Amino acid sequence: MLALSKRLELVTNILGFLGITGVILLAIIMEYHMDELPCPLCLLQRVGFSFIALGFLMNCCFGLRPRYYGIVLVSALYTAAVALRQVLLHIVPGTGAYGDPILGMHLYTWSFLLAMITAAAVAMLLVFSSDNKSQPTSVRPAVRIGLCSLLILVSLANGIGVFFECGLHQCPENPVTMELALV
Amino acid sequence: MLVVIFLLLAICSLLIAANKVKPALFLFFCLFVLGCVWFNHHMTSSLAIHL
């Protein structure tokens, strides 16, 4: 049966990690560049995408294992559930929307689509993964440090952003200003 | 809560960088439960407004 080589599977996981981290970075850039403060559900979607990135990262650093693919799958379902919740809040005509649409769809709709595509892609990776254990299945230590540093930076940037937006209280449903504005 | 979750996410990435498999997995599952609790809290607190 057709099976991916371990090296190709590893590269796919690295690309998946970089893609998901890129999406979170894009959301952070939009937050500051377009002045779109994230709502609590938007932040939970970022948490979900960070979970997905953690699953890919474990696959890259600890070696390819079905359990890490499971982490990506369950995290993608979590992200999809949160995004779908937000879609349903705004689906009734007249209830408005949160934020500006991008390419015709709002960020939470894109978020739902991306989570479902990730789940489908990981399921296909599991179907076509090979059983060959002789090939190397994890990245070099320098690459591991680089990938982990990227996720640490993204998580800290998100954490600091949330702290300035909400302080230590629960975030408002429709945030307008930063809770702890510096200027 | 969200600040704590993002902070723990950074710590989990740090554990992965240090090649600590079991602590990283344990922290992930704790984080996932926290995420689910927070989502559930949001659902129950806003259901009355929207439904």
Side-chain angles (χ1 to χ4, degrees):
Chain A
M1 188 188 155
L2 180 67
L4 291 174
S5 73
K6 287 285 176 194
R7 189 175 292 275
L8 185 59
E9 210 178 318
L10 191 60
V11 170
T12 314
N13 272 278
I14 294 173
L15 289 177
F17 171 79
L18 292 176
I20 295 294
T21 317
V23 167
I24 306 172
L25 272 175
L26 192 71
I28 296 173
I29 291 168
M30 281 183 68
E31 175 184 343
Y32 293 105
H33 187 66
M34 294 168 67
D35 270 343
E36 282 199 7
L37 290 179
C39 56
L41 280 175
C42 312
L43 289 168
L44 269 182
Q45 284 160 50
R46 289 190 198 180
V47 169
F49 279 121
S50 302
F51 287 164
I52 295 175
L54 266 183
F56 279 130
L57 189 64
M58 285 180 186
N59 252 338
C60 297
C61 298
F62 298 153
L64 302 165
R65 301 264 190 290
R67 68 163 65 157
Y68 305 136
Y69 281 123
I71 285 178
V72 177
L73 275 175
V74 80
S75 305
L77 289 178
Y78 175 82
T79 313
V82 177
L84 193 62
R85 162 74 180 154
Q86 196 167 8
V87 170
L88 290 177
L89 283 179
H90 301 295
I91 204 165
V92 179
T95 48
Y98 192 83
D100 295 325
I102 292 174
L103 298 173
M105 288 196 288
H106 287 90
L107 281 181
Y108 39 86
T109 314
W110 282 115
S111 181
F112 174 73
L113 280 178
L114 187 63
M116 293 318 289
I117 289 169
T118 307
V122 167
M124 293 314 286
L125 266 179
L126 274 170
V127 169
F128 291 109
S129 70
S130 75
D131 297 328
N132 188 354
K133 291 185 172 62
S134 62
Q135 293 171 309
T137 57
S138 58
V139 294
R140 292 176 192 161
V143 180
R144 186 179 73 209
I145 301 294
L147 294 177
C148 292
S149 306
L150 185 62
L151 192 56
I152 291 170
L153 281 177
V154 167
S155 302
L156 288 179
N158 269 321
I160 292 167
V162 172
F163 181 70
F164 278 106
E165 185 189 335
C166 319
L168 292 174
H169 316 288
Q170 186 173 343
C171 295
E173 292 285 328
N174 286 308
V176 183
T177 55
M178 289 274 189
E179 177 90 7
L180 304 172
L182 289 176
V183 286
Chain B
M1 177 75 104
L2 280 168
V3 179
V4 175
I5 290 178
F6 282 119
L7 198 67
L8 288 177
L9 265 167
I11 293 172
C12 193
S13 310
L14 206 64
L15 286 172
I16 295 173
N19 219 5
K20 307 277 185 196
V21 183
K22 282 184 180 172
L25 274 174
F26 176 73
L27 190 54
F28 169 78
F29 284 114
C30 292
L31 270 169
F32 192 77
V33 170
L34 265 181
C36 289
V37 167
W38 196 239
F39 181 41
N40 183 54
H41 170 75
H42 181 85
M43 289 274 282
T44 48
S45 64
S46 61
L47 267 180
I49 303 167
H50 294 288
L51 292 181

